[in-house]
Amino acid sequence: MIHAAYLMALLPLAGFVVLVAAGRRLGDPLAGWVATAAVLGSFVVACIALAGLLQEPASARHFTDNYFGWITVGGLQVKVGILLDPLSMTMCMFVTGVSALIHLYSIGYMKGDPEYPKFFIYLNLFVFSMVVLVLANNLLVTFVGWEGVGVCSYWLVAFWHERDSAASAGKKAFVYNRVGDVGFLIAVFFLFSRVGSLDMPTIFAHRHLLGSGGATFVALLLLLAATGKSAQIPLFNWLPDAMEGPTPVSALIHAATMVTAGVYLLCRVNSILQLSPDAMWVIAIIGGVTAFVAATIATAQQDIKKVLAFSTVSQIGYMMLAVGTGAYIAAIFLMVAHAFYKGLLFLGAGSVIHGLHDEQDLKKMGGLARLLPWTYGTFLVAWLAIAGIPPLSGFWAKGDVLANVWHKSPALWALGVLTAILTAYYMTRLFVLAFHGDRRWAQGTSEHGAAPPHESPWVMRLPLVILAVLAFAGGLLELPWVHTTGLSSWLAPVFAHTLFVDHESAGTQLALVFVDAAAAIVGLVVAYLAWRGPVDKPALEPAFLQRVWFWDDLYDAVIGRPGQAMARIAATVVEGRVIDGAVNGAATLVRRSASGVRRLQTGYVRNYALGIALGLGAVVAFLISRVWWS
């Protein structure tokens, strides 16, 4: 069963090939069903591979297989193969499972789109790339998957490229991720120079060759890569703009796949991170600060998808905080829970947008609870889960992270608790503005004759229900008092030498649990009291939060405008005067020289005879002078 694990990647690739060849002929909705079946088949294979791993003893749950050679240059030998262990298996399970649900949802959401087959072509290729990234046993093959999800995200974010905003968002995502990729590539080059191999098992076995300085260098470079892919400070700005893509894209990229890739990469190289406590501190601080900053920004956004986008940035910050603490299992636990409730939130937001005829402004919603009962009920579960209300999954997952952070740094823990309050606040604000209060959308109905909001079709409701169940019960994966059957036991072999051990007393742990619950309740109550009435509250939505702490303005002032000025100088001075001047000057010199020499070509024989005579005389004179002076 384990030897068939490669089918997890091959099936989405096969769906991609089929749709490229026959997608137009299959059309709507058959192309969507083919793509969904391919990813669902990948999930089934993942379940079979999981069963195969479970049959092995914990110490033997590590399977590698090489399929063919790719590059052989000198000492560099790259083989395409897979590394299947509890970490990659966990990733494959929720990546393929949630992606299959998003594909099913997209069948209904994208109905009628003129580029319907192309959308599913991109989705299948995206899932293939993500599975390659997760399963690769070689850093160079990992980078192939890393770049694959990057280029697919560009295509998907800019899918409606006829809109200038969508085209710009796609380019912004592409450029920001390429900045992070520089860190990935330099880390790969450095590791090969020190270890002589790019195979992960070999690198980890010989990590002592890096030394503490080399480990810090690699860790910080991979952190740079992760800040691009997982949208952390200073490269988080691309993700909110990525909301220009279709809502299923937002769910796929921002819930279970691409944005978690950076966290997965850092967890995969945990044995290297542990060699550098300084790098771990940097990771923890960046994660904690990003979580807080993004949460504050989410409190003032009016676009329902942008609230969820900044929420994703904040939640990934929590995961980075856990990684920097050394609590890798807590990071993975939150990653899985986040895939459930954030996927549900995005798909629920898509259902709201679908029902309101593409309206995304929270201030133009309200009173949807009775009109969209399925969306409302499932969104309610996701809201309580991400807010951290017990006993839903978010309470256990976020609490696991904060309990580990407390042991490392009470200051970072306090920042995490404040972020938890903000999380409950902005999600309650979103929930109240969208589903409760006055029916502000009714004004648009009377003016423009639009139909009233309507519930989504069953292909969109079914994924909502399944994700709601998972978001509610996902905490069972890692209950704090059960460590023999949960994620801790399952993932322990991967993190055996770096496993975080919390020595806090039972009383301290209980107090931390109460603080987590209190933070969620405080944020929820404050937001409900603040937003149950009028929706225009400028004091609660300051400009600097709506403008993302002026982060884009800073980049525009420091990088964008100086870059444009340099481009103008290069175009007018360097290109126009220096380069063109040199080229045109050389051409002018040749032309004028040729014009002067051309006058010697008179066509008269007597002139040529005179020239020959003069030349002969000059030669004779030269020879006589040589003899005379010698």
Side-chain angles (χ1 to χ4, degrees):
M1 292 187 289
I2 297 177
H3 288 279
Y6 66 90
L7 291 174
M8 282 188 277
L10 197 59
L11 286 174
L13 180 61
F16 163 77
V17 172
V18 170
L19 291 177
V20 166
R24 291 290 183 186
R25 290 192 293 273
L26 292 174
D28 176 0
L30 191 52
W33 284 109
V34 170
T36 303
V39 179
L40 182 59
S42 181
F43 174 68
V44 172
V45 173
C47 293
I48 295 172
L50 174 63
L53 274 186
L54 288 172
Q55 290 178 359
E56 302 291 334
S59 59
R61 291 171 182 166
H62 187 277
F63 170 77
T64 59
D65 200 359
N66 292 313
Y67 300 114
F68 57 89
W70 178 24
I71 300 174
T72 301
V73 179
L76 175 61
Q77 294 185 353
V78 179
K79 296 180 179 179
V80 176
I82 65 171
L83 168 60
L84 193 65
D85 63 1
L87 177 58
S88 58
M89 191 72 258
T90 301
M91 294 291 296
C92 285
M93 284 295 295
F94 77 80
V95 165
T96 57
V98 175
S99 295
L101 294 174
I102 294 171
H103 274 70
L104 179 62
Y105 178 95
S106 300
I107 293 174
Y109 190 88
M110 297 300 293
K111 183 176 179 61
D113 192 282
E115 298 293 342
Y116 185 90
K118 182 191 292 186
F119 180 79
F120 286 96
I121 288 174
Y122 293 159
L123 284 191
N124 267 194
L125 186 60
F126 188 100
V127 176
F128 162 74
S129 300
M130 187 67 193
V131 174
V132 168
L133 188 160
V134 169
L135 285 179
N137 67 346
N138 183 287
L139 279 176
L140 195 56
V141 180
T142 299
F143 187 71
V144 171
W146 187 274
E147 290 301 286
V149 295
V151 71
C152 288
S153 69
Y154 165 69
W155 288 331
L156 288 168
V157 169
F159 184 75
W160 289 323
H161 54 81
E162 62 275 5
R163 305 177 185 173
D164 290 339
S165 57
S168 297
K171 289 183 286 187
K172 186 174 183 179
F174 191 83
V175 171
Y176 271 65
N177 276 270
R178 298 297 75 73
V179 174
D181 292 348
V182 173
F184 196 123
L185 284 175
I186 296 176
V188 168
F189 300 152
F190 182 80
L191 286 169
F192 180 74
S193 69
R194 289 295 183 91
V195 180
S197 175
L198 295 180
D199 290 337
M200 292 187 195
T202 303
I203 291 173
F204 301 153
H206 297 86
R207 62 186 181 277
H208 61 278
L209 297 175
L210 299 175
S212 60
T216 300
F217 185 59
V218 170
L220 293 179
L221 287 172
L222 293 180
L223 172 61
L224 175 61
T227 59
K229 197 67 71 181
S230 295
Q232 299 292 285
I233 291 174
L235 300 176
F236 74 99
N237 307 59
W238 68 268
L239 191 141
D241 289 0
M243 297 299 103
E244 290 291 338
T247 301
V249 172
S250 304
L252 186 67
I253 293 176
H254 304 148
T257 54
M258 179 172 161
V259 294
T260 63
V263 179
Y264 165 76
L265 178 65
L266 294 179
C267 288
R268 175 56 76 189
V269 299
N270 65 89
S271 59
I272 295 177
L273 297 185
Q274 291 299 123
L275 297 177
S276 176
D278 292 338
M280 296 282 283
W281 271 109
V282 173
I283 294 171
I285 292 171
I286 285 181
V289 172
T290 302
F292 172 75
V293 170
T296 61
I297 296 170
T299 63
Q301 299 301 305
Q302 294 189 187
D303 187 314
I304 185 172
K305 290 174 64 177
K306 286 199 172 183
V307 174
L308 298 179
F310 283 108
S311 172
T312 297
V313 175
S314 181
Q315 295 291 298
I316 299 295
Y318 267 115
M319 299 174 206
M320 288 289 190
L321 181 58
V323 171
T325 305
Y328 304 105
I329 294 176
I332 299 300
F333 182 27
L334 180 57
M335 187 189 299
V336 175
H338 178 263
F340 297 154
Y341 59 67
K342 186 53 65 65
L344 177 56
L345 285 168
F346 270 115
L347 297 186
S351 184
V352 169
I353 295 168
H354 182 269
L356 286 174
H357 313 287
D358 298 326
E359 180 58 67
Q360 296 183 202
D361 190 343
L362 286 167
K363 302 298 180 66
K364 298 178 181 179
M365 297 182 184
L368 296 175
R370 293 184 178 180
L371 297 172
L372 308 177
W374 287 91
T375 302
Y376 174 74
T378 53
F379 206 99
L380 172 68
V381 174
W383 160 52
L384 296 177
I386 191 174
I389 300 297
L392 282 79
S393 60
F395 170 75
W396 305 109
K398 198 177 300 181
D400 196 11
V401 171
L402 291 175
N404 285 282
V405 173
W406 166 263
H407 183 79
K408 183 178 181 71
S409 170
L412 287 176
W413 172 83
L415 187 63
V417 171
L418 181 57
T419 303
I421 296 173
L422 291 172
T423 302
Y425 171 87
Y426 67 67
M427 285 308 307
T428 303
R429 169 181 174 270
L430 182 152
F431 188 76
V432 171
L433 290 178
F435 293 100
H436 293 280
D438 297 332
R439 296 182 174 184
R440 296 178 296 279
W441 48 266
Q443 300 173 3
T445 304
S446 60
E447 293 176 5
H448 305 293
H454 58 86
E455 187 59 276
S456 302
W458 74 268
V459 290
M460 296 173 64
R461 294 199 303 267
L462 180 59
L464 296 180
V465 173
I466 295 174
L467 286 172
V469 173
L470 294 173
F472 183 89
L476 295 175
L477 291 172
E478 179 68 3
L479 292 174
W481 56 82
V482 180
H483 298 288
T484 56
T485 58
L487 280 177
S488 292
S489 174
W490 170 248
L491 293 173
V494 180
F495 307 112
H497 302 292
T498 60
L499 196 60
F500 182 87
V501 179
D502 190 356
H503 297 289
E504 301 297 338
S505 65
T508 301
Q509 294 184 27
L510 186 61
L512 292 175
V513 169
F514 278 114
V515 170
D516 295 340
I521 293 172
V522 168
L524 188 153
V525 171
V526 170
Y528 178 76
L529 294 176
W531 292 99
R532 62 179 178 174
V535 298
D536 293 323
K537 300 180 184 295
L540 298 179
E541 298 173 337
F544 86 99
L545 293 182
Q546 293 188 28
R547 296 286 297 274
V548 194
W549 284 47
F550 299 109
W551 212 284
D552 283 323
D553 302 84
L554 174 64
Y555 280 177
D556 183 56
V558 175
I559 301 174
R561 295 188 183 278
Q564 290 177 341
M566 291 177 63
R568 285 193 296 268
I569 293 173
T572 57
V573 179
V574 178
E575 177 75 19
R577 298 180 183 178
V578 179
I579 297 177
D580 287 350
V583 173
N584 294 335
T588 301
L589 178 62
V590 171
R591 184 180 69 251
R592 291 180 178 177
S593 301
S595 298
V597 174
R598 186 173 57 192
R599 295 175 183 176
L600 300 176
Q601 294 287 91
T602 62
Y604 295 110
V605 175
R606 61 178 179 270
N607 291 343
Y608 299 152
L610 177 61
I612 293 173
L614 291 175
L616 181 60
V619 171
V620 171
F622 173 74
L623 293 175
I624 292 173
S625 66
R626 292 290 300 273
V627 173
W628 177 266
W629 291 108
S630 63

